[in-house]
Structures are given as structure tokens and as C-alpha cells.
Amino acid sequence: MAVINGEGHRVMITLNELDNSESIIEITEEGFNEDDENIISQMLDNKEGWVYMLTCLKGYLEYGINLRASLLH
């Protein structure tokens, strides 16, 4: 488990191994201001960011490719 604090948010990433070739990754993010009128768009943006990050991680772990390379140039 990893806990990351930044920009008022706390992120907890938990990896649970199912067997030698499968794992479940659980990501919990806290720190959203429930009174902010833009909370839904902020949560959706963060969700999309986590989906993208996990897709890149899967590509790297399974195929050795860096899907983020195009963003780094």
C-alpha cells in the first residue's frame, strides 16, 4: 500500500495479488471539497486521469511499452 499526499488530496493505492499473473489495484482518493460547485467535474477529471495512468501501467507491465512517451516530448 502506498499513501500519497498532494494538493490537498490524499491518495491510497493498494495492490492485492490474486495469483502469479493477476492483481487487483484499488485507488482511493480523498480531499475533495463537498461544497465546491465543481466537485462533479473535478471527480470525473480525476477518474479519467486514474484510468489513463492505469492503462499506461498495464501497457508497460505487460508489453514493455511507454504509452506516456508521446506526452513527454
Side-chain angles (χ1 to χ4, degrees):
M1 175 182 3
V3 177
I4 304 163
N5 291 302
E7 294 186 33
H9 287 217
R10 177 183 168 152
V11 176
M12 184 167 42
I13 301 171
T14 307
L15 302 170
N16 294 305
E17 184 178 0
L18 298 178
D19 57 36
N20 287 336
S21 63
E22 295 181 324
S23 297
I24 292 178
I25 300 174
E26 180 181 345
I27 299 174
T28 305
E29 185 169 358
E30 301 172 342
F32 292 96
N33 180 355
E34 295 176 15
D35 297 326
D36 190 330
E37 63 185 36
N38 297 316
I39 189 171
I40 299 298
S41 64
Q42 290 174 13
M43 292 176 77
L44 288 172
D45 285 347
N46 281 30
K47 175 200 63 93
E48 291 172 9
W50 285 115
V51 169
Y52 177 70
M53 189 278 301
L54 291 171
T55 300
C56 291
L57 179 60
K58 180 178 175 67
Y60 178 75
L61 291 174
E62 292 184 2
Y63 302 103
I65 57 174
N66 182 358
L67 297 173
R68 296 189 63 201
S70 63
L71 296 177
L72 301 175
H73 297 287

Coordinates of all heavy atoms in Angstrom, one line a residue:
M1 N 0.8 -1.2 0.0 CA 0.0 0.0 0.0 C 0.9 1.2 0.0 O 1.9 1.3 0.7 CB -0.9 0.0 1.2 CG -1.7 1.3 1.3 SD -2.8 1.4 2.8 CE -2.6 0.1 3.8
A2 N 0.5 2.2 -0.8 CA 1.2 3.5 -0.8 C 0.2 4.6 -0.5 O -0.9 4.5 -1.0 CB 1.8 3.7 -2.2
V3 N 0.6 5.6 0.2 CA -0.2 6.7 0.5 C 0.5 8.0 0.0 O 1.7 8.2 0.3 CB -0.5 6.9 2.0 CG1 -1.3 8.1 2.3 CG2 -1.2 5.6 2.5
I4 N -0.1 8.8 -0.8 CA 0.5 9.9 -1.4 C -0.4 11.1 -1.0 O -1.6 11.1 -1.2 CB 0.5 9.8 -3.0 CG1 1.2 8.5 -3.3 CG2 1.1 11.0 -3.6 CD1 1.0 8.1 -4.8
N5 N 0.3 12.2 -0.5 CA -0.4 13.4 -0.2 C 0.1 14.5 -1.1 O 1.2 14.7 -1.4 CB -0.1 13.9 1.3 CG -0.8 12.9 2.2 OD1 -2.0 12.8 2.3 ND2 0.1 12.3 3.1
G6 N -0.9 15.3 -1.7 CA -0.5 16.4 -2.5 C -1.7 17.2 -2.9 O -2.8 16.7 -3.1
E7 N -1.5 18.5 -3.0 CA -2.5 19.4 -3.5 C -3.9 19.3 -2.7 O -4.9 19.3 -3.3 CB -2.8 19.3 -5.0 CG -1.6 19.8 -5.8 CD -1.9 19.8 -7.3 OE1 -3.0 20.1 -7.7 OE2 -0.9 19.5 -8.0
G8 N -3.8 19.0 -1.4 CA -5.0 18.9 -0.6 C -5.7 17.5 -0.7 O -6.7 17.3 -0.1
H9 N -5.1 16.6 -1.5 CA -5.7 15.3 -1.7 C -4.8 14.2 -1.1 O -3.6 14.4 -1.1 CB -6.0 15.0 -3.2 CG -7.1 15.8 -3.8 ND1 -7.9 15.2 -4.7 CD2 -7.5 17.0 -3.6 CE1 -8.8 16.1 -5.1 NE2 -8.6 17.3 -4.4
R10 N -5.5 13.2 -0.7 CA -4.7 12.0 -0.2 C -5.2 10.8 -1.0 O -6.3 10.6 -1.2 CB -5.1 11.7 1.3 CG -4.4 10.5 1.8 CD -4.9 10.2 3.3 NE -4.4 8.9 3.6 CZ -4.2 8.5 4.8 NH1 -4.3 9.4 5.8 NH2 -3.8 7.3 5.1
V11 N -4.2 10.1 -1.6 CA -4.4 9.0 -2.5 C -3.8 7.8 -1.8 O -2.7 7.8 -1.4 CB -3.8 9.2 -3.9 CG1 -4.0 8.0 -4.7 CG2 -4.4 10.5 -4.5
M12 N -4.6 6.7 -1.8 CA -4.1 5.4 -1.2 C -4.3 4.4 -2.4 O -5.3 4.2 -3.0 CB -5.0 5.0 0.0 CG -4.4 3.7 0.6 SD -5.1 3.3 2.2 CE -6.8 3.6 2.1
I13 N -3.1 3.8 -2.7 CA -3.1 2.8 -3.7 C -2.8 1.4 -3.1 O -1.8 1.3 -2.4 CB -2.0 3.1 -4.8 CG1 -2.3 4.5 -5.4 CG2 -1.9 2.0 -5.8 CD1 -1.2 5.0 -6.3
T14 N -3.7 0.5 -3.3 CA -3.5 -0.9 -2.7 C -3.4 -1.9 -3.8 O -4.3 -1.9 -4.7 CB -4.7 -1.2 -1.7 OG1 -4.8 -0.1 -0.8 CG2 -4.5 -2.5 -1.0
L15 N -2.4 -2.7 -3.7 CA -2.2 -3.8 -4.7 C -2.5 -5.1 -4.0 O -1.9 -5.4 -3.0 CB -0.8 -3.8 -5.3 CG -0.3 -2.6 -6.0 CD1 1.2 -2.6 -6.2 CD2 -1.1 -2.3 -7.2
N16 N -3.4 -5.9 -4.5 CA -3.8 -7.2 -4.0 C -3.5 -8.3 -5.0 O -4.1 -8.3 -6.1 CB -5.2 -7.3 -3.6 CG -5.5 -6.3 -2.4 OD1 -4.9 -6.4 -1.4 ND2 -6.5 -5.4 -2.6
E17 N -2.5 -9.1 -4.8 CA -2.2 -10.2 -5.7 C -3.2 -11.3 -5.6 O -3.5 -11.8 -4.5 CB -0.8 -10.7 -5.4 CG -0.3 -11.8 -6.4 CD 1.1 -12.2 -6.1 OE1 1.7 -11.8 -5.1 OE2 1.6 -13.1 -6.8
L18 N -3.8 -11.7 -6.7 CA -4.7 -12.8 -6.8 C -4.0 -14.1 -7.0 O -4.3 -15.1 -6.4 CB -5.7 -12.6 -7.9 CG -6.6 -11.4 -7.8 CD1 -7.6 -11.3 -9.0 CD2 -7.4 -11.4 -6.5
D19 N -3.0 -14.1 -7.9 CA -2.1 -15.3 -8.2 C -0.9 -14.7 -8.8 O -0.6 -13.5 -8.8 CB -2.9 -16.3 -9.0 CG -3.4 -15.8 -10.3 OD1 -2.7 -15.0 -11.0 OD2 -4.4 -16.3 -10.8
N20 N -0.1 -15.6 -9.5 CA 1.2 -15.1 -10.0 C 1.0 -14.2 -11.3 O 2.0 -13.6 -11.7 CB 2.0 -16.4 -10.4 CG 2.6 -17.0 -9.2 OD1 2.7 -16.4 -8.2 ND2 2.9 -18.3 -9.4
S21 N -0.2 -14.2 -11.8 CA -0.3 -13.4 -13.0 C -1.5 -12.3 -13.0 O -1.7 -11.6 -13.9 CB -0.6 -14.3 -14.3 OG -1.8 -15.0 -14.1
E22 N -2.1 -12.2 -11.8 CA -3.2 -11.3 -11.7 C -3.2 -10.6 -10.4 O -2.8 -11.1 -9.3 CB -4.6 -12.0 -11.8 CG -4.9 -12.7 -13.1 CD -6.2 -13.4 -13.1 OE1 -6.6 -13.9 -12.1 OE2 -6.9 -13.3 -14.2
S23 N -3.5 -9.3 -10.4 CA -3.6 -8.4 -9.2 C -4.8 -7.5 -9.4 O -5.3 -7.2 -10.5 CB -2.4 -7.6 -9.1 OG -1.2 -8.4 -8.9
I24 N -5.3 -7.0 -8.2 CA -6.3 -6.0 -8.2 C -5.7 -4.8 -7.6 O -5.0 -4.8 -6.6 CB -7.5 -6.4 -7.4 CG1 -8.2 -7.6 -8.0 CG2 -8.5 -5.3 -7.1 CD1 -9.4 -8.1 -7.2
I25 N -5.9 -3.6 -8.3 CA -5.4 -2.3 -7.9 C -6.6 -1.5 -7.4 O -7.5 -1.4 -8.2 CB -4.6 -1.6 -9.0 CG1 -3.4 -2.4 -9.5 CG2 -4.2 -0.2 -8.5 CD1 -2.7 -1.8 -10.6
E26 N -6.5 -1.1 -6.2 CA -7.6 -0.2 -5.7 C -7.0 1.1 -5.4 O -6.0 1.3 -4.7 CB -8.2 -0.8 -4.4 CG -9.3 0.0 -3.8 CD -9.8 -0.6 -2.5 OE1 -9.5 -1.8 -2.2 OE2 -10.5 0.1 -1.8
I27 N -7.7 2.2 -5.9 CA -7.2 3.5 -5.7 C -8.3 4.3 -5.0 O -9.5 4.3 -5.4 CB -6.9 4.2 -7.0 CG1 -5.7 3.5 -7.7 CG2 -6.5 5.7 -6.8 CD1 -5.4 4.0 -9.0
T28 N -8.0 4.9 -3.8 CA -8.9 5.7 -3.1 C -8.4 7.1 -3.0 O -7.2 7.3 -2.6 CB -9.2 5.1 -1.7 OG1 -9.6 3.8 -1.8 CG2 -10.2 5.9 -0.9
E29 N -9.2 8.1 -3.4 CA -8.7 9.5 -3.3 C -9.6 10.3 -2.4 O -10.8 10.3 -2.6 CB -8.6 10.1 -4.7 CG -8.0 11.5 -4.8 CD -7.7 12.0 -6.1 OE1 -7.9 11.2 -7.1 OE2 -7.3 13.1 -6.3
E30 N -9.1 11.0 -1.5 CA -9.8 11.8 -0.6 C -9.3 13.3 -0.6 O -8.2 13.5 -1.1 CB -9.7 11.3 0.9 CG -10.1 9.9 1.1 CD -9.7 9.4 2.5 OE1 -8.9 10.0 3.1 OE2 -10.3 8.4 2.9
G31 N -10.2 14.2 -0.2 CA -9.7 15.6 -0.1 C -10.6 16.5 -1.0 O -10.2 17.7 -1.1
F32 N -11.6 16.0 -1.6 CA -12.5 16.9 -2.4 C -13.3 17.7 -1.5 O -13.7 17.3 -0.4 CB -13.4 16.0 -3.3 CG -12.6 15.3 -4.4 CD1 -12.2 14.0 -4.2 CD2 -12.3 15.9 -5.6 CE1 -11.6 13.3 -5.2 CE2 -11.7 15.3 -6.6 CZ -11.3 13.9 -6.4
N33 N -13.5 18.9 -1.9 CA -14.4 19.8 -1.1 C -15.8 19.6 -1.5 O -16.2 20.0 -2.6 CB -14.0 21.3 -1.4 CG -14.8 22.3 -0.6 OD1 -15.8 21.9 0.1 ND2 -14.5 23.5 -0.7
E34 N -16.6 19.0 -0.7 CA -18.0 18.7 -1.0 C -18.9 19.9 -1.3 O -19.9 19.8 -1.9 CB -18.6 17.8 0.1 CG -17.9 16.5 0.3 CD -18.5 15.7 1.5 OE1 -19.6 16.1 2.0 OE2 -17.8 14.7 1.9
D35 N -18.5 21.0 -0.8 CA -19.2 22.3 -1.0 C -18.9 23.0 -2.3 O -19.5 23.9 -2.7 CB -19.0 23.2 0.2 CG -19.5 22.7 1.5 OD1 -20.6 21.9 1.4 OD2 -18.9 22.9 2.5
D36 N -17.8 22.5 -3.0 CA -17.4 23.1 -4.3 C -18.4 22.8 -5.4 O -18.8 21.7 -5.6 CB -16.0 22.6 -4.7 CG -15.4 23.3 -5.8 OD1 -16.2 23.9 -6.7 OD2 -14.2 23.4 -5.9
E37 N -18.9 23.8 -6.0 CA -19.9 23.6 -7.1 C -19.4 22.8 -8.3 O -20.1 22.3 -9.1 CB -20.5 25.0 -7.6 CG -19.5 25.9 -8.2 CD -20.0 27.2 -8.6 OE1 -20.9 27.7 -7.8 OE2 -19.6 27.8 -9.6
N38 N -18.0 22.7 -8.4 CA -17.4 22.0 -9.5 C -16.9 20.6 -9.1 O -16.1 20.0 -9.8 CB -16.2 22.8 -10.0 CG -16.6 24.1 -10.6 OD1 -17.6 24.2 -11.4 ND2 -15.9 25.2 -10.3
I39 N -17.4 20.1 -8.0 CA -16.9 18.8 -7.5 C -17.1 17.7 -8.5 O -16.3 16.8 -8.6 CB -17.5 18.5 -6.1 CG1 -16.8 17.2 -5.5 CG2 -19.0 18.3 -6.2 CD1 -17.1 16.9 -4.1
I40 N -18.3 17.6 -9.1 CA -18.5 16.5 -10.1 C -17.5 16.6 -11.2 O -16.9 15.5 -11.5 CB -20.0 16.6 -10.6 CG1 -21.0 16.5 -9.5 CG2 -20.2 15.5 -11.7 CD1 -20.9 15.2 -8.7
S41 N -17.3 17.7 -11.8 CA -16.3 17.8 -12.9 C -14.9 17.4 -12.4 O -14.1 16.8 -13.1 CB -16.3 19.1 -13.6 OG -15.9 20.1 -12.7
Q42 N -14.5 17.9 -11.2 CA -13.2 17.5 -10.6 C -13.1 16.0 -10.4 O -12.0 15.4 -10.8 CB -13.0 18.2 -9.3 CG -12.9 19.7 -9.4 CD -12.8 20.4 -8.0 OE1 -12.7 19.7 -7.0 NE2 -13.0 21.7 -8.0
M43 N -14.1 15.4 -9.9 CA -14.1 13.9 -9.7 C -14.0 13.2 -11.0 O -13.3 12.2 -11.1 CB -15.3 13.5 -8.8 CG -15.2 14.0 -7.4 SD -16.7 13.6 -6.4 CE -16.3 11.9 -6.1
L44 N -14.7 13.6 -12.0 CA -14.7 13.0 -13.3 C -13.3 13.2 -13.9 O -12.8 12.2 -14.5 CB -15.8 13.5 -14.2 CG -17.2 13.1 -13.9 CD1 -18.2 13.9 -14.7 CD2 -17.4 11.6 -14.0
D45 N -12.7 14.4 -13.8 CA -11.4 14.6 -14.4 C -10.4 13.6 -13.7 O -9.5 13.0 -14.4 CB -10.9 16.0 -14.2 CG -11.6 17.0 -15.2 OD1 -12.2 16.5 -16.1 OD2 -11.5 18.2 -14.9
N46 N -10.5 13.5 -12.4 CA -9.5 12.7 -11.7 C -9.7 11.2 -12.0 O -8.8 10.5 -12.2 CB -9.7 12.9 -10.2 CG -8.9 14.1 -9.7 OD1 -8.8 15.1 -10.4 ND2 -8.4 14.1 -8.5
K47 N -11.0 10.8 -12.2 CA -11.3 9.4 -12.6 C -10.6 9.1 -13.9 O -10.0 8.1 -14.1 CB -12.8 9.1 -12.6 CG -13.1 7.8 -13.1 CD -14.5 7.7 -13.6 CE -14.9 8.5 -14.8 NZ -14.7 7.9 -16.1
E48 N -10.8 10.0 -14.9 CA -10.2 9.8 -16.2 C -8.7 9.8 -16.1 O -8.1 9.0 -16.8 CB -10.7 10.9 -17.1 CG -12.2 10.8 -17.5 CD -12.7 11.9 -18.3 OE1 -11.9 12.8 -18.7 OE2 -13.9 12.0 -18.4
G49 N -8.1 10.6 -15.3 CA -6.7 10.5 -15.1 C -6.2 9.2 -14.5 O -5.2 8.7 -15.0
W50 N -6.9 8.7 -13.6 CA -6.5 7.4 -13.0 C -6.7 6.2 -14.0 O -5.9 5.3 -14.1 CB -7.3 7.1 -11.7 CG -6.8 7.9 -10.6 CD1 -7.5 8.8 -9.9 CD2 -5.5 7.8 -9.9 NE1 -6.7 9.4 -8.9 CE2 -5.5 8.7 -8.9 CE3 -4.4 7.0 -10.2 CZ2 -4.4 8.9 -8.1 CZ3 -3.3 7.2 -9.4 CH2 -3.3 8.2 -8.4
V51 N -7.8 6.3 -14.8 CA -7.9 5.3 -15.9 C -6.8 5.3 -16.8 O -6.2 4.3 -17.2 CB -9.3 5.5 -16.6 CG1 -9.4 4.6 -17.8 CG2 -10.4 5.1 -15.6
Y52 N -6.4 6.5 -17.2 CA -5.3 6.7 -18.2 C -4.0 6.2 -17.5 O -3.2 5.4 -18.2 CB -5.1 8.2 -18.6 CG -4.0 8.4 -19.5 CD1 -4.0 7.9 -20.8 CD2 -2.8 9.1 -19.0 CE1 -2.9 8.1 -21.6 CE2 -1.7 9.3 -19.8 CZ -1.8 8.8 -21.1 OH -0.7 9.0 -22.0
M53 N -3.7 6.6 -16.3 CA -2.5 6.1 -15.6 C -2.4 4.6 -15.5 O -1.4 4.0 -15.8 CB -2.4 6.7 -14.2 CG -1.1 6.5 -13.5 SD -0.8 5.0 -12.7 CE -2.1 4.9 -11.5
L54 N -3.5 4.0 -15.2 CA -3.6 2.5 -15.0 C -3.4 1.8 -16.4 O -2.8 0.8 -16.5 CB -4.8 2.1 -14.3 CG -4.9 2.5 -12.8 CD1 -6.3 2.2 -12.3 CD2 -3.8 1.8 -12.0
T55 N -4.0 2.4 -17.4 CA -3.8 1.9 -18.8 C -2.4 1.9 -19.2 O -1.8 1.0 -19.8 CB -4.7 2.7 -19.8 OG1 -6.1 2.6 -19.4 CG2 -4.5 2.1 -21.2
C56 N -1.7 3.0 -18.9 CA -0.3 3.1 -19.2 C 0.6 2.1 -18.4 O 1.5 1.5 -18.9 CB 0.2 4.6 -18.9 SG -0.4 5.8 -20.0
L57 N 0.2 1.9 -17.1 CA 0.9 1.0 -16.3 C 0.7 -0.4 -16.9 O 1.7 -1.2 -16.9 CB 0.4 1.0 -14.9 CG 1.0 0.1 -13.9 CD1 2.5 0.3 -13.7 CD2 0.3 0.2 -12.5
K58 N -0.5 -0.8 -17.3 CA -0.7 -2.1 -17.8 C 0.1 -2.3 -19.1 O 0.7 -3.4 -19.3 CB -2.2 -2.3 -18.1 CG -2.6 -3.6 -18.7 CD -4.1 -3.7 -19.0 CE -4.5 -4.9 -19.7 NZ -4.4 -6.1 -18.9
G59 N 0.1 -1.3 -20.0 CA 0.9 -1.4 -21.2 C 2.4 -1.6 -20.9 O 3.1 -2.4 -21.6
Y60 N 2.9 -0.9 -19.9 CA 4.3 -1.1 -19.6 C 4.6 -2.5 -19.0 O 5.6 -3.1 -19.3 CB 4.7 0.0 -18.6 CG 6.1 -0.1 -18.1 CD1 7.2 0.2 -19.0 CD2 6.4 -0.6 -16.9 CE1 8.5 0.1 -18.6 CE2 7.8 -0.7 -16.5 CZ 8.8 -0.4 -17.3 OH 10.1 -0.5 -16.9
L61 N 3.7 -2.9 -18.0 CA 4.0 -4.2 -17.3 C 3.8 -5.4 -18.3 O 4.5 -6.3 -18.2 CB 3.1 -4.3 -16.1 CG 3.3 -3.3 -15.0 CD1 2.3 -3.5 -13.9 CD2 4.7 -3.6 -14.4
E62 N 2.8 -5.3 -19.1 CA 2.5 -6.5 -20.0 C 3.3 -6.5 -21.3 O 3.6 -7.6 -21.8 CB 1.0 -6.6 -20.3 CG 0.2 -6.9 -19.0 CD -1.3 -7.1 -19.3 OE1 -1.7 -7.0 -20.4 OE2 -2.0 -7.3 -18.3
Y63 N 3.6 -5.3 -21.8 CA 4.2 -5.3 -23.2 C 5.5 -4.5 -23.2 O 6.2 -4.4 -24.2 CB 3.2 -4.7 -24.2 CG 2.0 -5.5 -24.2 CD1 0.8 -5.0 -23.6 CD2 1.9 -6.7 -24.9 CE1 -0.4 -5.8 -23.6 CE2 0.8 -7.5 -24.9 CZ -0.4 -7.0 -24.3 OH -1.5 -7.7 -24.3
G64 N 5.9 -3.8 -22.1 CA 7.1 -3.1 -22.1 C 7.1 -1.8 -22.9 O 8.2 -1.3 -23.2
I65 N 5.9 -1.3 -23.1 CA 5.8 0.0 -23.9 C 5.4 1.1 -23.0 O 4.7 1.0 -22.0 CB 4.8 -0.2 -25.1 CG1 3.4 -0.5 -24.6 CG2 5.3 -1.2 -26.1 CD1 2.3 -0.5 -25.6
N66 N 5.9 2.3 -23.4 CA 5.6 3.5 -22.6 C 4.6 4.3 -23.4 O 4.8 5.0 -24.3 CB 6.9 4.4 -22.5 CG 6.7 5.6 -21.6 OD1 5.5 5.9 -21.2 ND2 7.7 6.4 -21.4
L67 N 3.3 4.2 -22.9 CA 2.2 4.9 -23.6 C 2.2 6.4 -23.3 O 1.6 7.1 -24.0 CB 0.9 4.3 -23.2 CG 0.7 2.8 -23.6 CD1 -0.6 2.2 -22.9 CD2 0.6 2.7 -25.1
R68 N 3.0 6.8 -22.3 CA 3.0 8.2 -21.9 C 4.1 8.9 -22.7 O 4.3 10.1 -22.6 CB 3.3 8.3 -20.4 CG 2.2 7.8 -19.6 CD 2.3 8.2 -18.2 NE 2.3 9.6 -18.1 CZ 2.8 10.3 -17.1 NH1 3.4 9.7 -16.0 NH2 2.8 11.6 -17.0
A69 N 4.9 8.2 -23.5 CA 6.1 8.8 -24.2 C 5.6 9.9 -25.1 O 6.4 10.9 -25.1 CB 6.8 7.7 -25.0
S70 N 4.5 9.9 -25.7 CA 4.1 11.0 -26.6 C 3.7 12.2 -25.8 O 3.8 13.3 -26.3 CB 2.8 10.5 -27.4 OG 1.8 10.3 -26.5
L71 N 3.4 12.1 -24.5 CA 3.1 13.2 -23.6 C 4.4 13.9 -23.1 O 4.4 15.1 -22.7 CB 2.3 12.8 -22.5 CG 0.9 12.3 -22.8 CD1 0.2 11.9 -21.5 CD2 0.1 13.4 -23.5
L72 N 5.5 13.2 -23.2 CA 6.7 13.7 -22.5 C 7.6 14.5 -23.5 O 8.6 15.1 -23.1 CB 7.6 12.5 -22.0 CG 6.8 11.7 -20.9 CD1 7.7 10.5 -20.5 CD2 6.5 12.5 -19.7
H73 N 7.2 14.6 -24.8 CA 8.1 15.3 -25.7 C 7.5 16.7 -25.9 O 6.5 17.1 -25.8 CB 8.1 14.6 -27.1 CG 8.8 13.3 -27.0 ND1 10.1 13.1 -26.8 CD2 8.2 12.0 -27.0 CE1 10.4 11.8 -26.7 NE2 9.3 11.2 -26.8

